[in-house]
Amino acid sequence: MRFVIVTGMSGAGRSSAMRVLEDDGFFCVDNLPISMLPGFMKLTKESSGQIQKVALGLDIRVGNRPLQEAAGVLTQLQKEGYEFEILYMEASTPVLVKRYKETRRMHPLSHGGRMDAAIEKERELLAQLKDQADYIIDTTTLLTRELKQELDRIFLEDEKFSNFYLTFVSFGFKYGIPTDADLVFDVRFLPNPFYVDELKPLTGEEEAVYDYVMKSEKATVFLDKLKDMLDFLIPNYVAEGKTQLVIAIGCTGGKHRSVTLTNAIYKEFASSEYGCKKEHRDIEKDRL
């Protein structure tokens, strides 16, 4: 039997993850009191094979003290021979604040106070559970369909999972640097297809533009050096507990050079052990 405990920050996608797991055939129970957890695990284990997959949602609504005790309860259950996995849902504080404002809901710990303070308090209460987690999914930049793809990879396809997620973003400097970028690279030094009549209306998604940019020795050298840098940085970020890295690559309009290099570096990491996605933020803006 596969038993998954789904927990994490309020607003980070725990409910969405539970819905995905339910669609994937899991028997789902949400927000069971901590005191009932040992008994529930025993019942499912003794179900004579009737229940093969269980997902248990656990969040701050069970109360501060019980939540703090959850890590100890889970550790004891492991010592008693119970097997389970912990899926922890994470997101940045600014994004969580934005999500709560959009839904006009109150954070369970806010009690009329500041939202960001409540979120940080919850983060502290969940720290031990996060340390015990087998999977950490940061939904700061994930769409719902991308979350489903990640969960399906883990729980349906049994692919190897890394708690580290790479997001490559192309952008145009004239539209501003992405606010969530961890690393920003400027490729305006590369030959610009904008000044080639037949390439100007195209984008870096098209082969003619890609070939034009990448035939430059400067582009290939840049790509090699960028990959070497990321190969060095990523394991160090992972060691420090970072769960995602947003790499932004910019050119003037975000249509040709930045798109090409974003696609090129994405190819380098798409088959790596890390979760990986790409986004072309400004690719259509110059067409309007």
Side-chain angles (χ1 to χ4, degrees):
M1 184 182 72
R2 191 166 195 178
F3 196 109
V4 180
I5 295 172
V6 185
T7 186
M9 298 296 294
S10 301
R14 187 187 58 81
S15 296
S16 296
M18 290 289 285
R19 286 193 293 270
V20 171
L21 292 176
E22 187 171 28
D23 291 342
D24 288 346
F26 279 77
F27 175 72
C28 294
V29 177
D30 198 13
N31 223 33
L32 191 75
I34 300 299
S35 59
M36 297 179 65
L37 183 56
F40 180 71
M41 280 196 169
K42 183 179 179 181
L43 284 172
T44 54
K45 188 174 182 180
E46 296 174 352
S47 65
S48 301
Q50 295 179 20
I51 301 176
Q52 295 297 322
K53 298 190 291 185
V54 178
L56 174 65
L58 192 65
D59 71 6
I60 198 69
R61 290 174 295 170
V62 300
N64 296 3
R65 190 73 246 169
L67 192 60
Q68 288 177 305
E69 295 169 356
V73 171
L74 292 175
T75 299
Q76 182 59 38
L77 287 169
Q78 283 180 322
K79 290 179 180 179
E80 294 174 6
Y82 289 94
E83 295 182 358
F84 55 87
E85 301 161 274
I86 300 176
L87 168 64
Y88 187 93
M89 309 301 296
E90 175 68 286
S92 70
T93 297
V95 166
L96 291 175
V97 170
K98 182 174 181 289
R99 289 174 183 173
Y100 269 102
K101 286 185 176 180
E102 287 175 346
T103 59
R104 299 186 179 181
R105 293 174 56 215
M106 295 293 292
H107 188 280
L109 298 180
S110 62
H111 306 302
R114 289 180 57 86
M115 185 80 70
D116 53 354
I119 289 170
E120 292 308 318
K121 181 179 180 182
E122 181 184 25
R123 206 180 294 282
E124 292 177 12
L125 291 171
L126 290 169
Q128 281 186 286
L129 279 175
K130 184 177 181 180
D131 289 341
Q132 290 180 306
D134 298 280
Y135 316 103
I136 300 174
I137 296 183
D138 192 319
T139 64
T140 300
T141 61
L142 284 187
L143 301 174
T144 301
R145 60 178 172 78
E146 292 169 335
L147 172 61
K148 175 174 171 51
Q149 289 170 358
E150 284 299 298
L151 293 174
D152 286 349
R153 281 204 309 129
I154 301 168
F155 298 109
L156 279 186
E157 301 162 18
D158 289 320
E159 291 186 14
K160 184 178 178 182
F161 176 79
S162 170
N163 286 332
F164 194 80
Y165 208 92
L166 290 168
T167 301
F168 298 100
V169 183
S170 69
F171 72 96
F173 275 97
K174 69 180 182 180
Y175 301 113
I177 296 173
T179 56
D180 60 342
D182 296 298
L183 301 173
V184 177
F185 297 94
D186 183 351
V187 295
R188 288 177 291 186
F189 64 90
L190 296 176
N192 193 351
F194 180 85
Y195 298 110
V196 180
D197 291 341
E198 61 267 27
L199 300 180
K200 183 177 179 178
L202 306 179
T203 74
E205 291 275 58
E206 292 163 277
E207 186 176 355
V209 173
Y210 186 94
D211 291 343
Y212 177 85
V213 175
M214 295 308 297
K215 75 179 180 182
S216 165
E217 183 181 356
K218 290 184 289 186
T220 56
V221 171
F222 172 81
L223 181 62
D224 289 342
K225 291 184 179 295
L226 178 56
K227 185 176 186 305
D228 285 344
M229 178 184 290
L230 293 177
D231 285 339
F232 168 76
L233 288 175
I234 292 171
N236 286 286
Y237 281 133
V238 172
E240 287 298 312
K242 194 172 178 64
T243 57
Q244 72 160 343
L245 187 67
V246 179
I247 301 101
I249 301 176
C251 61
T252 305
K255 178 180 174 182
H256 296 117
R257 292 166 291 179
S258 60
V259 173
T260 296
L261 268 299
T262 296
N263 286 341
I265 192 63
Y266 172 80
K267 287 179 184 177
E268 297 290 336
F269 287 92
S271 59
S272 70
E273 63 184 284
Y274 309 112
C276 190
K277 74 167 187 172
K278 63 179 176 177
E279 174 188 339
H280 300 306
R281 192 192 71 176
D282 302 326
I283 190 170
E284 294 295 334
K285 289 181 179 177
D286 272 356
R287 291 189 178 190
L288 301 178

